[in-house]
Amino acid sequence: MRHFLDLASCSTDELHELINLALRLKSEWRDGGNEPLLRGKTLGMIFQKPSLRTRVSFEMGMRHLGGDALMLGPQEIGLGVRESVPDVARVLSRYVQGIMARVYDHKDVAALAEHSRVPVINGLSDDYHPCQALADILTIRESFGRLEGLKLAFVGDGNNVAASVALACAHFGISFSIATPEGYEMKAPIRKQALEIADRNGNSIDMQTRPQLAVAEADVVYTDTWVSMGQEAEAAERADEFGAFQVNAGLLEHAKQTAIIMHCLPAHRGDEITDEVMDGARSRIFQQAENRMHAQKAILARLLA
Ligand code: CP
Ligand code: NVA
């Protein structure tokens, strides 16, 4: 593993190793602090879109491991506008020991990787959010003590987060069922990637248009915003189309009574999820946010140490 761009290009074994490393680094940190595995190393962080979790969890993760992080916002770099993406990669990778990038077009983070001398991590693109999904697997593992044989239901937009969660489930032996409004399904090539991995690992992926069917017998119910970054102009239309896809107490009656609730955040309370569910005893949403830092430390240690 040289870069961390999407979960389809990682092997199942590599991902298991990352989860085990994340668990170890998390308990080490809680017991007093991590070893300075990344002393003298800096992560360059390119953001074309806003962020709370990704920005802060990567920066804190680097500091905990004895390294440093450099924030490069949209105004500073003008990725692909002021300068070509390959040239940014060629220059930046002479200054820093790793690059994390949050972009619109997935091709941009792939091009950074292609032309960089140092490892590149995808901190969200329009197609994938692999760091989120890895942290989510850590959260599910902590909640149930196991992964294999569980069922995760995703309700909402078949976008970047759904895609990476589907791929993660396929790798880790979790059955994945997704309910989206028509026209908002996962992209066909990503569906194919997830189906191939799931087939290899003997678990299932299915697509529904009724949330009640997707959540039946689910151990985990997951949702994401109806309006992702860059889709703001479609907000009104999406509110209409997604109205029946809210994760609320009524929908959860169809899932297992022990089901946990997940959301990558930021949430639009009252739209895709109610306050009652988000703040309820079964919500693991803020644990997920914390686990971004622990899971990413494993990625950083694996790629940069
Ligand atoms: N979940 C997530 O990636 O959050 P941010 O957009 O705040 O980084
Ligand atoms: N699907 C959302 C995830 C945010 C972390 C977006 O792309 O905006």
Side-chain angles (χ1 to χ4, degrees), residues 56-70:
V56 180
S57 58
F58 266 108
E59 185 159 340
M60 291 304 116
M62 281 302 292
R63 289 195 204 168
H64 294 169
L65 295 171
D68 199 0
L70 179 71

Side-chain angles (χ1 to χ4, degrees), residues 126 247 287:
D126 285 347
V247 173
Q287 183 183 342

Side-chain angles (χ1 to χ4, degrees), residues 49 102 124 129 159-161 224-225 227-229 264-266:
K49 298 173 176 173
R102 165 166 287 194
L124 179 144
H129 200 358
N159 193 27
N160 44 13
V161 171
D224 180 15
T225 180
V227 184
S228 284
M229 292 177 276
C264 55
L265 299 175

Side-chain angles (χ1 to χ4, degrees), residues 7 15-16 19 131-143 146-147 152 164-165 167-174 222 262 288 291 295:
L7 298 182
L15 294 174
H16 276 285
I19 290 294
C131 296
Q132 179 70 51
L134 192 74
D136 297 339
I137 293 294
L138 179 60
T139 304
I140 297 170
R141 164 87 180 263
E142 287 175 336
S143 294
R146 67 188 171 99
L147 294 166
L152 183 148
S164 287
V165 171
L167 287 162
C169 287
H171 276 294
F172 286 97
I174 300 174
Y222 198 127
M262 300 182 79
Q288 277 179 267
N291 277 338

